[in-house]
Amino acid sequence: MKKILLVVFSIFPVLLSAQFFKKTDNQFEMYIDSALTKKAGTDFYDQCWCEIIHKADSSVLFYEGKKTQKGTYPVLKNGKWGGIDAAGNVVQPFTFDGPFDARKSGHYLVITDLKDTLNQLTYKIGTMITRYDSTMTVDTSFYVIDDYKGSYLVSPNKLKFGIVNSDFKVLLPMKYESVTYKMLNFRFNPNGFLPLENELDKCGVVNYLGKIVVSFNYEWMNDYVWNEQFIFVQNGKKKGFINSSNVLTVPMRYETLPMILGPKNLVADENYTWFVNEKFEAISQKYQALEKEGDVWFFKQNYKWGVMDLDMKVIIPNSYTSIEYGPRLKTDATFKCYYAVKNGKYGLISLKNEIIVPFEYECLCGLSYYAPDNYYIEFKKSGTLYRFDQTGKLIEKIVGEGKACLCEMVPLE
């Protein structure tokens, strides 16, 4: 179950001792402050190896330069990449085919075939990382999907992935896949955690050093670690959450559970369904069943059904063995009511719980989405069919069994 990739860029906080770039007239200028007031050097560049930044107090986008191990900043000029220092001086000639990491060992890691997203270069499925030795001879190449603190998520064939460090030492063998085929979120999270699927189709989480932090014991999980305290996991129909320390924070007993927690989340186990917040704290009562239809919730408590509005305010008290919307009228699209079962008998009520047809009937007959043209609803009692209009007026009474009827087998109360 894999799916092919586009990597979404991430927004990074402004760091101290960083260099920043501003894009003006399709060219980049380097500054030594995030306020973009102190320019470094006088040159202009066609591109920088940068992370996009959006200041909270401004609509202005600018960029934070990525620094190599040698302390230089890769920039593009006249079709080639070179390296400048913090003052804007050229210290590595413009000879590279892509942005690079200049290593203290003398090696260079050069990245090519990147994708341009909002003037920021990002990884894609065909991006390559190539290691050159000090004589600029090609050492090794991989496809690269993401990087984090000197670790690279790489593949020899775009199918199986692993992690190498900046010296291309294998930290995690290249035998893993993304949790989803499209690989839309196949990248390290801000703390370097990465969900993967192994050769046995089991899912787990590793960190950027290749260490397994969540065991590969799950059939399904989040494809990205959005919340390190609530990582969705699933085996069979049972769902739960685990944290990045490999501890279950929500037991795997839920049949309904969102993969990402928001302010209000519907959850259900074998017995109840209810709402929780982003901390998995209950924010509603527990119900034996809860079903949303249009602008209402049908709910079941104490083995009886009722109706609530979308704010969970009770409209119809839970006093019915079952309750459903009645047929629609072809002549009045706004008309709605409910048919229900109470004390083992069928009847009809309004949306405000006003009785339209008393609860005296054994069966509901001939129900369809639209009511017939000559009556609204039909019930049966003691071998006689009773046809009513939408106001509860008896239209016709027919002796005999007639058509097939729905007779709920419910105990009398």
Side-chain angles (χ1 to χ4, degrees), residues 32-46:
I32 63 175
D33 63 317
S34 61
L36 306 180
T37 60
K38 301 176 183 177
K39 198 170 182 299
T42 58
D43 220 337
F44 294 87
Y45 310 100
D46 300 319

PDB file of all heavy atoms in Angstrom, residues 32-46:
ATOM      1  N   ILE A  32      22.460  39.589   7.529  1.00  0.00           N
ATOM      2  CA  ILE A  32      22.954  38.953   8.747  1.00  0.00           C
ATOM      3  C   ILE A  32      21.939  39.030   9.881  1.00  0.00           C
ATOM      4  O   ILE A  32      22.191  38.530  10.979  1.00  0.00           O
ATOM      5  CB  ILE A  32      24.288  39.586   9.204  1.00  0.00           C
ATOM      6  CG1 ILE A  32      24.081  41.072   9.574  1.00  0.00           C
ATOM      7  CG2 ILE A  32      25.350  39.437   8.140  1.00  0.00           C
ATOM      8  CD1 ILE A  32      25.331  41.713  10.155  1.00  0.00           C
ATOM      9  N   ASP A  33      20.759  39.630   9.608  1.00  0.00           N
ATOM     10  CA  ASP A  33      19.730  39.723  10.650  1.00  0.00           C
ATOM     11  C   ASP A  33      18.364  39.395  10.048  1.00  0.00           C
ATOM     12  O   ASP A  33      18.110  39.615   8.857  1.00  0.00           O
ATOM     13  CB  ASP A  33      19.709  41.114  11.278  1.00  0.00           C
ATOM     14  CG  ASP A  33      19.334  42.195  10.283  1.00  0.00           C
ATOM     15  OD1 ASP A  33      19.845  42.154   9.137  1.00  0.00           O
ATOM     16  OD2 ASP A  33      18.537  43.069  10.635  1.00  0.00           O
ATOM     17  N   SER A  34      17.469  38.867  10.914  1.00  0.00           N
ATOM     18  CA  SER A  34      16.149  38.467  10.438  1.00  0.00           C
ATOM     19  C   SER A  34      15.256  39.656  10.115  1.00  0.00           C
ATOM     20  O   SER A  34      14.226  39.500   9.462  1.00  0.00           O
ATOM     21  CB  SER A  34      15.464  37.574  11.475  1.00  0.00           C
ATOM     22  OG  SER A  34      15.286  38.273  12.694  1.00  0.00           O
ATOM     23  N   ALA A  35      15.642  40.849  10.556  1.00  0.00           N
ATOM     24  CA  ALA A  35      14.888  42.050  10.189  1.00  0.00           C
ATOM     25  C   ALA A  35      15.231  42.511   8.775  1.00  0.00           C
ATOM     26  O   ALA A  35      14.595  43.423   8.242  1.00  0.00           O
ATOM     27  CB  ALA A  35      15.174  43.165  11.190  1.00  0.00           C
ATOM     28  N   LEU A  36      16.242  41.873   8.182  1.00  0.00           N
ATOM     29  CA  LEU A  36      16.674  42.163   6.814  1.00  0.00           C
ATOM     30  C   LEU A  36      17.088  43.633   6.649  1.00  0.00           C
ATOM     31  O   LEU A  36      16.715  44.314   5.697  1.00  0.00           O
ATOM     32  CB  LEU A  36      15.574  41.812   5.813  1.00  0.00           C
ATOM     33  CG  LEU A  36      15.017  40.381   5.878  1.00  0.00           C
ATOM     34  CD1 LEU A  36      13.929  40.183   4.836  1.00  0.00           C
ATOM     35  CD2 LEU A  36      16.116  39.351   5.720  1.00  0.00           C
ATOM     36  N   THR A  37      17.914  44.109   7.608  1.00  0.00           N
ATOM     37  CA  THR A  37      18.395  45.497   7.557  1.00  0.00           C
ATOM     38  C   THR A  37      19.898  45.583   7.300  1.00  0.00           C
ATOM     39  O   THR A  37      20.389  46.620   6.852  1.00  0.00           O
ATOM     40  CB  THR A  37      18.070  46.226   8.866  1.00  0.00           C
ATOM     41  OG1 THR A  37      18.710  45.540   9.962  1.00  0.00           O
ATOM     42  CG2 THR A  37      16.563  46.261   9.106  1.00  0.00           C
ATOM     43  N   LYS A  38      20.636  44.477   7.600  1.00  0.00           N
ATOM     44  CA  LYS A  38      22.092  44.510   7.466  1.00  0.00           C
ATOM     45  C   LYS A  38      22.521  43.520   6.393  1.00  0.00           C
ATOM     46  O   LYS A  38      22.579  42.311   6.615  1.00  0.00           O
ATOM     47  CB  LYS A  38      22.757  44.165   8.803  1.00  0.00           C
ATOM     48  CG  LYS A  38      22.362  45.126   9.926  1.00  0.00           C
ATOM     49  CD  LYS A  38      22.971  44.698  11.257  1.00  0.00           C
ATOM     50  CE  LYS A  38      22.525  45.623  12.394  1.00  0.00           C
ATOM     51  NZ  LYS A  38      23.065  45.179  13.705  1.00  0.00           N
ATOM     52  N   LYS A  39      22.837  44.036   5.226  1.00  0.00           N
ATOM     53  CA  LYS A  39      23.186  43.189   4.091  1.00  0.00           C
ATOM     54  C   LYS A  39      24.594  42.636   4.237  1.00  0.00           C
ATOM     55  O   LYS A  39      25.507  43.323   4.699  1.00  0.00           O
ATOM     56  CB  LYS A  39      23.063  43.993   2.800  1.00  0.00           C
ATOM     57  CG  LYS A  39      22.969  43.166   1.535  1.00  0.00           C
ATOM     58  CD  LYS A  39      22.596  44.048   0.351  1.00  0.00           C
ATOM     59  CE  LYS A  39      22.445  43.237  -0.904  1.00  0.00           C
ATOM     60  NZ  LYS A  39      23.678  42.556  -1.284  1.00  0.00           N
ATOM     61  N   ALA A  40      24.765  41.371   3.850  1.00  0.00           N
ATOM     62  CA  ALA A  40      26.081  40.724   3.860  1.00  0.00           C
ATOM     63  C   ALA A  40      26.605  40.700   2.427  1.00  0.00           C
ATOM     64  O   ALA A  40      26.064  39.994   1.580  1.00  0.00           O
ATOM     65  CB  ALA A  40      25.978  39.309   4.429  1.00  0.00           C
ATOM     66  N   GLY A  41      27.632  41.456   2.154  1.00  0.00           N
ATOM     67  CA  GLY A  41      28.166  41.528   0.805  1.00  0.00           C
ATOM     68  C   GLY A  41      27.270  42.362  -0.098  1.00  0.00           C
ATOM     69  O   GLY A  41      26.266  42.932   0.321  1.00  0.00           O
ATOM     70  N   THR A  42      27.645  42.401  -1.364  1.00  0.00           N
ATOM     71  CA  THR A  42      26.900  43.233  -2.324  1.00  0.00           C
ATOM     72  C   THR A  42      26.355  42.427  -3.490  1.00  0.00           C
ATOM     73  O   THR A  42      25.707  42.990  -4.376  1.00  0.00           O
ATOM     74  CB  THR A  42      27.829  44.327  -2.885  1.00  0.00           C
ATOM     75  OG1 THR A  42      28.964  43.706  -3.519  1.00  0.00           O
ATOM     76  CG2 THR A  42      28.299  45.250  -1.776  1.00  0.00           C
ATOM     77  N   ASP A  43      26.602  41.126  -3.477  1.00  0.00           N
ATOM     78  CA  ASP A  43      26.239  40.317  -4.638  1.00  0.00           C
ATOM     79  C   ASP A  43      24.774  39.881  -4.591  1.00  0.00           C
ATOM     80  O   ASP A  43      24.125  39.901  -3.544  1.00  0.00           O
ATOM     81  CB  ASP A  43      27.143  39.080  -4.705  1.00  0.00           C
ATOM     82  CG  ASP A  43      27.548  38.782  -6.135  1.00  0.00           C
ATOM     83  OD1 ASP A  43      26.816  39.219  -7.042  1.00  0.00           O
ATOM     84  OD2 ASP A  43      28.575  38.104  -6.334  1.00  0.00           O
ATOM     85  N   PHE A  44      24.282  39.426  -5.754  1.00  0.00           N
ATOM     86  CA  PHE A  44      22.938  38.873  -5.885  1.00  0.00           C
ATOM     87  C   PHE A  44      23.060  37.445  -6.406  1.00  0.00           C
ATOM     88  O   PHE A  44      23.984  37.118  -7.147  1.00  0.00           O
ATOM     89  CB  PHE A  44      22.096  39.703  -6.869  1.00  0.00           C
ATOM     90  CG  PHE A  44      21.805  41.091  -6.383  1.00  0.00           C
ATOM     91  CD1 PHE A  44      22.705  42.126  -6.624  1.00  0.00           C
ATOM     92  CD2 PHE A  44      20.638  41.372  -5.687  1.00  0.00           C
ATOM     93  CE1 PHE A  44      22.432  43.407  -6.183  1.00  0.00           C
ATOM     94  CE2 PHE A  44      20.358  42.649  -5.245  1.00  0.00           C
ATOM     95  CZ  PHE A  44      21.255  43.673  -5.485  1.00  0.00           C
ATOM     96  N   TYR A  45      22.095  36.588  -6.024  1.00  0.00           N
ATOM     97  CA  TYR A  45      22.159  35.174  -6.373  1.00  0.00           C
ATOM     98  C   TYR A  45      20.833  34.738  -6.994  1.00  0.00           C
ATOM     99  O   TYR A  45      19.767  35.285  -6.708  1.00  0.00           O
ATOM    100  CB  TYR A  45      22.479  34.334  -5.136  1.00  0.00           C
ATOM    101  CG  TYR A  45      23.677  34.858  -4.389  1.00  0.00           C
ATOM    102  CD1 TYR A  45      23.514  35.636  -3.242  1.00  0.00           C
ATOM    103  CD2 TYR A  45      24.969  34.624  -4.853  1.00  0.00           C
ATOM    104  CE1 TYR A  45      24.606  36.154  -2.574  1.00  0.00           C
ATOM    105  CE2 TYR A  45      26.065  35.147  -4.193  1.00  0.00           C
ATOM    106  CZ  TYR A  45      25.883  35.912  -3.055  1.00  0.00           C
ATOM    107  OH  TYR A  45      26.964  36.434  -2.408  1.00  0.00           O
ATOM    108  N   ASP A  46      20.915  33.706  -7.847  1.00  0.00           N
ATOM    109  CA  ASP A  46      19.719  33.192  -8.510  1.00  0.00           C
ATOM    110  C   ASP A  46      18.898  32.283  -7.597  1.00  0.00           C
ATOM    111  O   ASP A  46      17.693  32.108  -7.792  1.00  0.00           O
ATOM    112  CB  ASP A  46      20.113  32.422  -9.777  1.00  0.00           C
ATOM    113  CG  ASP A  46      20.856  33.304 -10.768  1.00  0.00           C
ATOM    114  OD1 ASP A  46      20.449  34.473 -10.931  1.00  0.00           O
ATOM    115  OD2 ASP A  46      21.842  32.826 -11.362  1.00  0.00           O
TER     116      ASP A  46
END
